[in-house]
């Protein structure tokens, strides 16, 4: 189940970028009343700060972030389209930064592609 933790090709070379992106996601969620989802993203962020790579990855790849209804990525109802686009852009950046470290996740890739299309079609 946790074979991804044993991969030696995962190196967090972009820690500052990940921290910035994930902090932006947490703040957008928190400031717009989505505290449970903000907490889901905050948890792996705390492990990232602590340089605990295994727990960072373990908590980053959870259903609370990438799952279905109620997951962090699936939040909707931001008060403006601009905030929604900002949120989606941060998730796209997160997925790109995950790839840079060697963290691969099909659901995350799917989410990023969905957000790219959504932003392109709803300017």
């Amino acid at each position: 189940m946790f074979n991804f933790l044993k991969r030696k090709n995962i190196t967090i070379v972009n820690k500052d970028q990940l921290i910035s992106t994930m902090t932006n996601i947490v703040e957008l969620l928190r400031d717009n009343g989505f505290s449970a989802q903000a907490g889901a993203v905050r948890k792996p962020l705390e492990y990232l700060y602590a340089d605990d790579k295994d727990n960072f990855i373990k908590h980053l790849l959870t259903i609370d972030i990438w799952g279905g209804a109620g997951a962090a990525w699936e939040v909707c109802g931001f008060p403006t389209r601009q905030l929604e686009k900002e949120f989606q852009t941060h998730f796209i950046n997160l997925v790109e930064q995950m790839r840079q470290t060697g963290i691969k996740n099909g659901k995350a890739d799917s989410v990023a592609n969905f957000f790219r299309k959504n932003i392109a079609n709803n300017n």
Side-chain angles (χ1 to χ4, degrees), residues 16-102:
D16 292 339
Q17 289 176 310
L18 283 163
I19 287 172
S20 176
T21 298
M22 293 177 74
T23 299
N24 287 329
I25 292 170
V26 168
E27 289 172 353
L28 278 168
L29 289 167
R30 181 201 62 215
D31 293 349
N32 288 282
F34 303 107
S35 58
Q37 291 83 356
V41 178
R42 186 179 302 110
K43 192 168 193 171
L45 180 57
E46 290 171 357
Y47 287 113
L48 182 60
Y49 271 115
D51 292 320
D52 184 341
K53 180 178 79 170
D54 290 345
N55 277 312
F56 166 69
I57 296 166
K58 177 182 174 183
H59 291 280
L60 177 63
L61 300 177
T62 64
I63 60 170
D64 293 336
I65 297 175
W66 304 108
W73 79 269
E74 204 170 53
V75 164
C76 61
F78 286 97
T80 67
R81 175 67 179 136
Q82 182 58 39
L83 283 175
E84 183 179 321
K85 285 171 62 174
E86 185 180 339
F87 173 75
Q88 292 176 351
T89 300
H90 288 310
F91 257 95
I92 292 167
N93 292 338
L94 175 59
V95 173
E96 290 171 358
Q97 292 160 9
M98 287 167 57
R99 281 193 212 129
Q100 290 172 1
T101 67

